[in-house]
Amino acid sequence: MRHSRLPRLHRPAQLMAVGLLATSLALTACGAGSRTGAATATKVACDFTNPASATTVNVLAYNSSAVDPYSNTMVSSCTHDNVTVKHDPIDFAGQVQKTTATLGGDTGTYDVIETYSFVVPDLASRGKLVALDDLFAKHQATYKLDAIDKSLRDAMSYKGKLYGLPMQTQVLTMVYRKDLFAKNNLTPPTTFAELRDDAKKLQDAGDMKYPIALPWSASSDISTAYKATLNSLGKNFVAEDGKTPNYSTPESTKAFEEMKSLLPYMDPQVTTFDQPKVQQQLYNGSAAIGIMFSGRMNDLVQQKNTKLFDQFAFAAPPAVEKGGKQYGALSVDGWSIPFNTKVDQDLLFQVIAASVSEDASKASIPAAFPARTGLDQSASPYAAAAEKAIAGAPPAEAEPWVPPLTSATTDIIGSVILGKTSVAEGTQQMQAAGEKVMATQK
Amino acid sequence: MRRREFWVLVTPSVIVMFGFMLVPLYRTVRWSFQKVEYGAPGTSVGLSNYSGALTDPRLGRAVLFTLLLTLVVTAFCLVFGYILASLVNQLGRMRPVVLGLVLIPYVLPHVVGAVAFSWLFDTNFGGIVNFVVNGVTGGMLGEPLWFTSVWPNRLMIAANAVWFMLPFAMLMILAGLQGVSTETLEAAEIDGASPLQRHLHVIIPSIRGVLGFVLLIFTMDVLRIFDSLIALSPQAVSLGNESLMLYIYNVAFREGAVNLGLGSAISVLTILLILVLLYPSIRTLVREAKAA
Amino acid sequence: MTVDLTAAEGVHPRRTLAAADEATTVHPPRPGRRRRRTVAVISALVLVATCVLMVAPFLWAAFSSVKPTDVAFSNPPVFRFGPTFQPYVDLWQTTNFYLYLANTVIVAVISTVVALAVGLPCAYALSRYAGPASLILLVLALIFRALPRFAVVLPMYEISKSIGIYDTRVALAAALIAINQPFTIWLLRNFFTEIPRELDEAAMVDGCTRFGVLRRIMIPLMGPGILTAGIFIFLFAFQEYLTAAVLTDINAKTVPVFIATQIGQNLPLLQQASAATVLLTLPVVGIAFIAQKYLVAGLASGAVKG
C-alpha cells in the first residue's frame, strides 16, 4: 500500500513559489478600481430621469483611439444615480461576432451597440434596431443634435427612418513617410500606377523592402479592399436592377488585377494584416505607405507609440485609374439601440446622445473625425486629407444585401489574392455565391 | 458491494454526466438533421447536412490535417517525453525546479499560450524566433512565412502542440518510472544488457500501461485541438490547416450565417471518427477489466 | 525552436540514457570517463534547452508587458529599455480585469469542490462493484471525455439562454463539472483500487456502513489522491477557453476569454493583454511549483494501472 505522506518541497522550489505568488499580489495591488481611460473621458451633461431601480447599460463597442472617446464619455458621464454604464474592451472581430450573437434571440446582452453605415441597412431591414426618429425629435434641442451632419444621418437611415445616431465619419485615408518621400523626391500618389512607381522607387533606393502596407486580412478586411477597388472603378456589388451581382463584370476582373499588382510591394504576409498590424508596420518602419480608415491615423503621430511619430504625413488615397473615384470607402460610425434590450429606450437614447454632444465631439478631435458640423479640426494632422478623401470617395452602397454578400464572398476574394484561385474562376464563384444571396433577398 | 449501494453512490455523478452531456448530445444529433440557427426553430432537411458535409473537400482536408497533426505530435511527445522523464528522474535537488518550469506550458490556458507563442513568430511583434535563429545560424533560416505558408504554419502549430502537451507526457512517464523495479533492472545489468537494451527490454515494457494511457489521452486531445489555432492560424481555411473542431466552429458559430445544422452534422461525424480510433483502446480496457 | 530541438535529437539515445543508468548501478570501471562527462553535459544541455523553450513564450510576453509602448513590439526587437508597469496599472484600473480574474478563480474552485464531491462516491463504487454496470459506466465515461466539445457546448448555449442562466458563473461551473467528470472518476477510481478491499470488509464487519467506510476510512487514506485529482480539475477549469467563450459574455467572462478578445487590438491594449497573460500565469505557475511533487507522487501511486 503506497500512500506516502505528502512529500516535502525542496527549498529552492518553495522559495520560487512564494516569490511568484508575492509578485503576482504586488502587481495586482495597484488598486482594482474601475476608472475609464482618463485621457479620453470627457464629462458631459447626461440628465436622464433616474430609473426606479438599479439599471446597468451594457455597451458593445470595439476599442480604437477614435471610438474610445465616445464610449468612455458614455461611461463616465452617464454612470450616476441608479444607472451604471459598462463597457468591456473588445477588438473589432469580437464586436462583429458579439453583434450577431446579441441580436440573435429575444434577449440580448447589450443595450447599446456600435454600428456603422455598412451594416445598418441590413440590420434595420431585419427589424434588429430601434427606429430613433421620435427620440431624436424629443431630445434634439437638449443635445443640439441637428448639428450632426444630415448626410451622415441619412447614411445611418433605412427607408427614411433613422436607425443609428452618428458619432464620427471614417474614411479610407493614406498615410506616408514624408522623410522618405522627400529623400527620394516623391509626391503622394494619385493613381495606382503612381503608387506602384513610388513603391518601386523606394524599393530600388534600398530604403524599404515592402513599402506598402494595407489591411488585407483574408478573414475580413480584404473584402473592404475589394469593395474599395471595385467602387473606384465605378461599379457597386449589385447592378442598378437591384438583382444581379456585378462580380462577373470586366470591372471586377480589373479590380482583382489591380489589387494583385500591388502584391510585389507588400509584405508576403499582408493577408494576415488587420489595421492594428498595418499600424505596427508603420511604427516599426517596415512600411512607408499605408491606407486605413481615418480613425487609425492619429495613433501614428503619438510619441508614445513610435519613434517615427513626426515623420508621417497624410493624403487622400489614390484612384485606381486616372479620373476615377478614389480607392475609397466612407463609413459612418454611430450608436444604435438593439430591438431586444430591456432597458428603457429613452434612457438609452440620452446615453448615446450625451456621448455625441458638442463637448464630447470636440474632445474626440484629433483622434476621430466627428459627425458634428462646425467643429474646429485644425488640431488634427489628417483632417485636411480626410476631407479630401470624403469628397473624392465613391458613393456608398447603402443596401441590406451588402453584409450577406460580403460574408459569402470573403473567402473567395482571399483565395484569389493568395493566388490559390485564378481571377476568372474566382469571379465566377463569387457570381454564383452572390446570386444565391440575392435570391433570398426580399 | 451490493447493487443498491453501487447505484446510490453512483447516481449523482451519473445524473451530472448524463444530464449535462447526453441531453445536449441528443440536441446536437437532432440539429444535424435540420436547417437551424440560434433563436429560431429549425426545419427538417433529412440527411442533406450529412451529404453536404461529406461531399465538401474541406471536411477531407480537415480530417487529414487533424490526423497528421495527431500522429506527429503524439509520436514526438512519446519519444521525447520518455527521454526527458529519464533525464529528470536522475535529478536530485534541481528536480522540483526543472519540473516546475517544464509544467508551465501545461498549466497555461491554451489560447493564452498560443497568443504568446504566435508573438514569437510574428514579425509585427518583434519576430524574435527569426531574429534569434538567424543570429545563431548566420541567416540560414531566412524569413519563413509562418502565417501564410502551409508548411511553416503547420510546423508552428505542431511546435505549439508539442509545447503544451509534452509536459503531460513527461509527467505521466516520470510517474510511471517511479514504479520500475530496481531488482529487475539490476538483474538485467548483471546479465550484461547494454543501457539501450535495458531501456527497450526492461523499462519500457514495465511502463507499458503508462505509455498506453498517454497514447490514449494524446489521441483524444490532439484530435480535438482548437484553442491554439485561433491565434496561430488566422488563415487556417485557405491554408488547409483547419482542424476538425475549428471547422465546426467556423461553420456553426463564426461565419455570418449561423449554420447550426451543418455544424452539428460535422460534430456527429467527428464523434464517429473518434469512436473508431478509440475502439482498440476500449477493447483492451474491457478485456483487462474482465480479467481483473 | 527548430535549432534547439535538432540539437537534442542529434544526441544518440544510447549515450544519454547510459548516463541515467550509470547513476543507479554498480559496475566495473568502464572505459570512457570522458564519455560519461560528455553525456552528462549533453543531458544538462538538453534539460536547460527544454526549460528555456518551455518558458520562452511566457517570458517574451512578460518582457513586452514592461517595455515602454514605443519599443514593446518593435522589429528588430529591443533588449535594453527602461521598464514600466503602466500596462499593469491600466489593465487593473481601466478594465474589469479584476472581475475576470475573480470569475476564473471562483468557477475553478466551485468546479473542483463539486466535481470531487460528486465524483468520489462514484469512483469508490466503481472500484468495488464487480457487476457489468461498472464496466459500462467506465467505458461511457471514456467516450464522454473523448467527445468534441462543441457537440455538447453549443446546445448548452441554447439551453442556458432559454432558462436564463446564460453568462453566469453557475452555468459555466456546472458545464465544467460535467465535462470533467469522466476524468475525475477515472483518476479517483484508479487510486481507490490501490486500497485493498480487506479494509472495507473489516470495517463493515465491525458495523460500519458502506458510506461510513467511504467517509471515515477511504477518504483519509486517499488524501494525496484527492489532492492530485483536485489539482488537475482546478487546472482544467482554469484553462478552459472553448466552453467559457460560448457560455459567457460580460458578467461571467474569464481571463482566457478576455485575452482572446484582445488579439486584434491596437498597441497599448495589446500590452495590456500581455500584462493579463502574466497576471494569469503567475499564480498558476506558483501552484505548479508547489503541486508538482504531489502530482508526480499521486500519479505514481497508482493513477495508471500497467
Side-chain angles (χ1 to χ4, degrees), chain A residues 10 12-13 16 97 100 104-105 218-219 267-269 271-273 277 280-281 284 407 411 418 420, chain B residues 38-39 96-97 122-125 145-148 150 234-235 237-239 249 253-256 258:
Chain A
H10 292 273
M16 216 183 279
Q97 200 220 355
T100 315
S219 51
D267 189 304
Q269 306 209 91
T271 46
T272 60
F273 289 1
K277 289 231 176 111
Q280 199 63 42
Q281 287 264 303
N284 286 341
S407 308
D411 283 344
L418 282 170
K420 291 199 147 47
Chain B
Y38 280 126
V97 176
D122 196 338
T123 48
N124 275 326
F125 298 126
L145 304 178
W146 298 106
F147 295 92
T148 53
V150 181
Q235 285 198 0
V237 183
S238 52
L239 291 177
Y249 175 76
F253 217 56
R254 184 183 77 94
E255 280 162 10
V258 184

Side-chain angles (χ1 to χ4, degrees), chain A residues 165-320:
Chain A
L165 193 61
M167 63 162 139
Q168 60 179 285
T169 319
Q170 294 237 30
V171 64
L172 279 182
T173 314
M174 184 169 63
V175 56
Y176 62 95
R177 287 276 298 280
K178 57 186 180 191
D179 55 333
L180 293 177
F181 267 49
K183 179 166 163 241
N184 291 287
N185 278 321
L186 302 173
T187 51
T190 57
T191 64
F192 266 32
E194 283 175 30
L195 178 61
R196 287 189 289 264
D197 262 353
D198 287 349
K200 188 146 199 335
K201 290 209 186 90
L202 285 168
Q203 274 182 337
D204 292 340
D207 281 326
M208 211 155 269
K209 205 159 161 209
Y210 302 115
I212 306 178
L214 298 174
W216 277 13
S217 147
S219 51
S220 58
D221 302 77
I222 195 143
S223 45
T224 312
Y226 170 78
K227 185 169 195 298
T229 321
L230 186 65
N231 291 164
S232 171
L233 291 169
K235 279 271 187 286
N236 276 336
F237 275 172
V238 170
E240 276 79 34
D241 64 1
K243 277 207 291 277
T244 328
N246 276 336
Y247 298 123
S248 50
T249 57
E251 284 86 351
S252 172
T253 306
K254 188 147 201 338
F256 276 120
E257 284 164 8
E258 289 288 341
M259 285 174 77
K260 290 177 79 150
S261 75
L262 297 177
L263 288 175
Y265 308 104
M266 300 196 286
D267 189 304
Q269 306 209 91
V270 70
T271 46
T272 60
F273 289 1
D274 51 11
Q275 295 193 100
K277 289 231 176 111
V278 171
Q279 287 181 317
Q280 199 63 42
Q281 287 264 303
L282 293 163
Y283 291 154
N284 286 341
S286 310
I289 308 172
I291 303 177
M292 295 183 284
F293 279 102
S294 50
R296 305 281 184 179
M297 292 294 146
N298 198 45
D299 293 331
L300 298 167
V301 298
Q302 300 302 311
Q303 186 169 13
K304 66 172 170 63
N305 283 340
T306 172
K307 298 207 183 317
L308 300 167
F309 70 102
D310 49 0
Q311 304 296 349
F312 290 110
F314 305 93
V320 176

Side-chain angles (χ1 to χ4, degrees), chain C residues 83-144:
Chain C
T84 162
F85 283 101
Q86 195 58 37
Y88 290 90
V89 176
D90 287 339
L91 175 72
W92 203 248
Q93 295 192 322
T94 67
T95 69
N96 283 328
F97 183 72
Y98 66 95
L99 178 66
Y100 309 146
L101 196 57
N103 286 340
T104 316
V105 171
I106 290 173
V107 167
V109 168
I110 297 179
S111 306
T112 308
V113 168
V114 178
L116 284 175
V118 169
L120 264 170
C122 182
Y124 175 59
L126 286 173
S127 71
R128 293 294 184 253
Y129 183 67
S134 186
L135 188 58
I136 295 175
L137 201 58
L138 277 173
V139 172
L140 272 180
L142 185 66
I143 294 177
F144 275 158

Side-chain angles (χ1 to χ4, degrees), chain B residues 106-107, chain C residues 230-240 284 287 295:
Chain B
Y106 183 66
V107 301
Chain C
I231 291 170
F232 267 115
I233 303 170
F234 186 85
L235 283 179
F236 290 157
F238 215 79
Q239 286 181 328
E240 183 62 32
V284 184
I287 294 175
L295 288 178

Side-chain angles (χ1 to χ4, degrees), chain B residues 37-216:
Chain B
E37 50 177 271
Y38 280 126
T43 52
S44 177
V45 291
L47 286 174
S48 67
N49 281 328
Y50 286 96
S51 58
L54 287 168
T55 52
D56 191 347
R58 199 165 152 194
L59 178 67
R61 279 198 294 264
V63 170
L64 274 176
F65 171 72
T66 315
L67 284 177
L68 182 64
L69 186 68
T70 309
L71 194 65
V72 167
V73 170
T74 308
F76 186 83
C77 284
L78 273 176
V79 171
F80 195 63
Y82 181 81
I83 295 176
L84 207 56
S86 305
L87 290 181
V88 172
N89 209 15
Q90 302 309 309
L91 290 178
R93 265 177 319 137
M94 286 306 286
R95 192 199 283 210
V97 176
V98 171
L99 211 49
L101 286 176
V102 171
L103 273 179
I104 288 178
Y106 183 66
V107 301
L108 269 180
H110 296 165
V111 74
V112 174
V115 170
F117 202 85
S118 72
W119 284 345
L120 296 176
F121 290 82
D122 196 338
T123 48
N124 275 326
F125 298 126
I128 190 80
V129 164
N130 290 353
F131 185 76
V132 168
V133 173
N134 280 330
V136 165
T137 63
M140 248 172 48
L141 185 63
E143 295 287 325
L145 304 178
W146 298 106
F147 295 92
T148 53
S149 268
V150 181
W151 286 100
N153 194 238
R154 287 182 177 177
L155 183 61
M156 194 173 59
I157 295 171
N160 176 254
V162 166
W163 177 74
F164 69 75
M165 295 226 59
L166 183 65
F168 176 73
M170 189 216 68
L171 192 67
M172 281 288 156
I173 297 177
L174 182 63
L177 286 178
Q178 308 305 306
V180 173
S181 107
T182 35
E183 295 89 30
T184 329
L185 263 180
E186 280 171 4
E189 166 91 38
I190 291 168
D191 282 350
S194 74
L196 182 64
Q197 284 174 319
R198 259 176 279 143
H199 277 279
L200 281 181
H201 298 296
V202 179
I203 300 184
I204 291 182
S206 64
I207 60 169
R208 206 180 48 235
V210 178
L211 292 177
F213 182 70
V214 172
L215 180 66
L216 179 66

Side-chain angles (χ1 to χ4, degrees), chain A residues 11-79:
Chain A
R11 288 233 65 185
Q14 260 177 338
L15 290 172
M16 216 183 279
V18 171
L20 279 171
L21 286 169
T23 318
S24 42
L25 282 174
L27 281 174
T28 58
C30 317
S34 208
R35 65 166 171 84
T36 50
T40 50
T42 321
K43 252 192 139 88
V44 300
C46 191
D47 296 319
F48 44 78
T49 348
N50 195 21
S53 54
T55 311
T56 310
V57 174
N58 290 315
V59 177
L60 175 63
Y62 72 103
N63 290 92
S64 84
S65 44
V67 178
D68 289 346
Y70 297 94
S71 27
N72 287 340
T73 299
M74 256 193 244
V75 173
S76 68
S77 307
C78 299
T79 300

